């Protein structure tokens, strides 16, 4: 990626995806925006390291690392977890998203990348920096845990 116009085009296309990923990890609008902004800045600074045609996934990897940095800083500042931000979703899906956000991050991220961001298993695994088989395993465990959680909620209604 050699010029600024190409970078801006790719960054604009990736922006909605990056924001959704950051919200999936951080669950706070302000932190998600900060993470995306930092990822875009670092992506520009290190654009030479990205392979041709894979810059979106390079940005995703940077974003995930930036989200983890924000989480580490949060742990030093806030003793309790920040409540999830209210997102724009149909009310019918609120229980599903609540259940997804209750999953641990290693199970939540494969679900969000695969089904919300519509990435292939290979792309999502690369974004998380894990082998495809590990990604598939985590995705399976996440769906199984989510199914149990939602079934339990239905039983108690």
């Amino acid at each position: 990626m050699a010029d600024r116009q190409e970078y801006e085009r790719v960054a604009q296309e990736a922006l909605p995806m990056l924001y959704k990923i950051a919200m999936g990890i951080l669950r706070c609008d302000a932190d998600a925006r900060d993470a995306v902004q930092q990822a875009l800045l670092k992506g520009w600074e290190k654009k030479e390291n990205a392979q041709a045609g894979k810059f979106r996934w390079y940005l995703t990897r940077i974003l995930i690392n930036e989200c983890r940095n924000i989480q580490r800083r949060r742990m030093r500042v806030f003793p309790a977890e920040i409540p999830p931000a209210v997102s724009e979703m149909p009310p019918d899906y609120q229980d599903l998203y609540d259940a997804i956000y209750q999953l641990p991050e290693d199970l939540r991220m494969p679900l969000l990348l695969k089904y919300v961001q519509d990435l292939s298993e290979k792309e999502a695994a690369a974004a998380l920096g894990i082998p495809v088989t590990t990604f598939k395993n985590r995705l399976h465990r996440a769906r199984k845990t989510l199914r149990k959680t939602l079934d339990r909620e239905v039983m108690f209604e």
Side-chain angles (χ1 to χ4, degrees), residues 19 22-23 25-38 63 66-67 70-71 73-74 78 82:
Y19 177 76
M23 279 297 293
I25 296 171
L26 299 170
R27 298 184 242 164
C28 173
D29 181 62
D31 286 344
R33 290 176 186 271
D34 287 346
V36 169
Q37 188 174 14
Q38 285 298 318
L63 175 69
E66 203 52 46
C67 288
I70 288 173
Q71 286 177 323
R73 283 192 299 268
R74 224 192 247 171
F78 298 105
I82 296 174

Side-chain angles (χ1 to χ4, degrees), residues 12 37 40 47 98 110 113 148:
Q12 274 305 101
Q37 188 174 14
L40 291 173
K47 65 186 179 294
D98 288 345
L113 292 175
K148 284 181 185 176

Side-chain angles (χ1 to χ4, degrees), residues 57-74:
W57 315 124
Y58 184 68
L59 276 177
T60 303
R61 183 76 236 154
I62 293 171
L63 175 69
I64 291 169
N65 289 334
E66 203 52 46
C67 288
R68 289 186 176 143
N69 290 340
I70 288 173
Q71 286 177 323
R72 280 194 282 286
R73 283 192 299 268
R74 224 192 247 171

